[in-house]
Amino acid sequence: MHTSVHTSLLALALAAGSLAYATTDARAPRRASVAKQTRTTAPTTNAAAVFAPLPASDAVALVELRRLLNDAVPRALASDQKRLGEVNADVETFRARTGINAREFETLAVGSRVVKLASGATKLDHNVAVGRGRFDINAIVAAGRTSSKNRHTQQTHAGKTVHVFRLDEELKLFGLLKMRVGELAVCALDAQTLAVGEPEAVRAAVDAAGGRGALSPTDLAVLTQPRTPETLVTFGGRVAPELTAGIDLGNAEITRSVASVREMFGAVRMVAAGFDVQTTLRTSNESEARELGGVLATLKQAAPFLLSQVEGERGRVARNAAERLQVATQGTDVQLRLEVPQADITTLVGVL
């Protein structure tokens, strides 16, 4: 089971900018003030304190799954009932195929290893999702046997039972992450915690739950970032030098700047005026950060012209988003924030 990822300027821009749905409509200062007050007064925790332990990983996403599916997605797609129906159908398909109801899970922690392919592309491998919530392991096993046509094996690892099903199909994990699934493993780590993913990764999750080989809060910057009650998703990961070695984006400065990123992390928050996502790109030194910040600022200035050929509502929303994108450099970090009115979110998602 793997997901392919191509390293390019566009990938960085999408990771750092397209996820940055913001809370503040410049035409609604009263609502912006409320959102700002919420962010500054709400109590905070860090990501590692909220989620079940993951095995050692290069990239993670920590999701408030029930709130995302029941509140955030319907709100974001309120004006696009067709797409909302597709999301709901994906959740139900995953439930029918696996016996796992994503809506019954409060939180979901996803971990992956990043592997570079001979082609120069990268893939996310050793994928595992650890969810906390309600589930019936017997119903999961029954559904898995049906879906796999009884291609099912049962293993014991560190005292836990790991069920492995041969599916050989595309599946959206928890209705969200589209992956090509060969073997899918599931294991109840305890009465409220379920690990789902590639067999080797699920076994590693069993070990992590037992205190062996768990991802440490100091391994990834994302795990120590503050979380407020509004936080829906926290994401982040390392960018090892070998992953960007040899890339050529047609411009030496841009190529060098992209290759300087060593870690990325950020968070999506749902607040009164919409969605607020901020992303940080971390480099090795302040000189690299200044150069990267300058490149992104230049691209931001050029974006309205480049998007001028995009017609209609999508073009308007895309140009507005480019104009609202904020780029700031602090030490070794380049911080990005994009402010988008709630009414523009569905259209922007369509553009991206």
Side-chain angles (χ1 to χ4, degrees), residues 2 15 31 57 75 91 104 117 161 166 177 197 219 265 272 309 316 346:
H2 68 271
R31 284 167 53 177
S57 304
R75 177 177 172 182
V91 172
E104 293 295 324
L117 305 176
T161 300
R166 169 61 69 175
L177 305 173
D219 289 343
F265 55 91
Q309 302 304 311
R316 180 191 68 80
T346 301

Side-chain angles (χ1 to χ4, degrees), residues 46-63:
N46 63 58
V50 178
F51 291 85
L54 285 170
S57 304
D58 297 314
V60 301
L62 310 173
V63 186

Side-chain angles (χ1 to χ4, degrees), residues 86-335:
E86 291 171 352
V87 173
N88 291 333
D90 289 336
V91 172
E92 289 306 312
T93 297
F94 183 73
R95 178 181 184 178
R97 298 292 288 166
T98 67
I100 300 171
N101 184 358
R103 299 184 191 279
E104 293 295 324
F105 286 81
E106 294 288 344
T107 61
L108 186 70
V110 182
S112 300
R113 290 291 185 92
V114 180
V115 179
K116 188 168 184 177
L117 305 176
S119 65
T122 60
K123 72 173 182 179
L124 297 180
D125 211 342
H126 296 81
N127 303 298
V128 64
V130 181
R132 279 183 171 159
R134 294 187 299 180
F135 60 90
D136 182 341
I137 192 63
N138 293 324
I140 291 172
V141 171
R145 284 175 172 163
T146 299
S147 297
S148 66
K149 299 179 181 178
N150 286 321
R151 293 180 295 176
H152 164 247
T153 59
Q154 183 172 310
Q155 309 167 356
T156 299
H157 181 77
K160 299 293 183 181
T161 300
V162 179
H163 297 274
V164 181
F165 306 95
R166 169 61 69 175
L167 298 180
D168 294 322
E169 63 178 282
E170 283 194 346
L171 192 68
K172 285 196 174 180
L173 193 64
F174 285 84
L176 299 174
L177 305 173
K178 186 176 183 179
M179 294 181 175
R180 177 68 187 177
V181 179
E183 289 185 320
L184 184 70
V186 296
C187 178
L189 302 180
D190 60 42
Q192 288 81 40
T193 310
L194 183 72
V196 182
E198 298 175 13
E200 182 180 352
V202 168
R203 290 192 293 269
V206 172
D207 292 336
R212 301 175 299 278
L215 183 66
S216 169
T218 59
D219 289 343
L220 294 173
V222 60
L223 298 177
T224 58
Q225 298 307 299
R227 294 175 56 84
T228 71
E230 295 77 33
T231 301
L232 286 172
V233 180
T234 308
F235 58 91
R238 302 185 194 90
V239 183
E242 58 268 23
L243 296 180
T244 54
I247 65 171
D248 184 358
L249 301 176
N251 177 285
E253 184 180 13
I254 293 177
T255 298
R256 186 171 57 249
S257 295
V258 170
S260 72
V261 177
R262 291 291 167 261
E263 192 164 1
M264 182 192 75
F265 55 91
V268 183
R269 299 180 179 88
M270 184 174 70
V271 293
F275 297 86
D276 177 14
V277 180
Q278 299 181 31
T279 303
T280 297
L281 304 177
R282 177 160 290 173
T283 64
S284 299
N285 56 62
E286 294 184 5
S287 177
E288 291 178 342
R290 286 194 297 270
E291 183 173 38
L292 176 62
V295 165
L296 292 176
T298 300
L299 291 175
K300 164 186 159 58
Q301 292 175 351
F305 172 75
L306 297 174
L307 293 169
S308 63
Q309 302 304 311
V310 182
E311 299 179 351
E313 186 68 6
R314 288 188 174 187
R316 180 191 68 80
V317 171
R319 288 188 291 274
N320 286 346
E323 291 173 359
R324 290 188 180 96
L325 178 65
Q326 300 175 27
V327 181
T329 302
Q330 182 176 0
T332 61
D333 295 343
V334 178
Q335 300 166 342

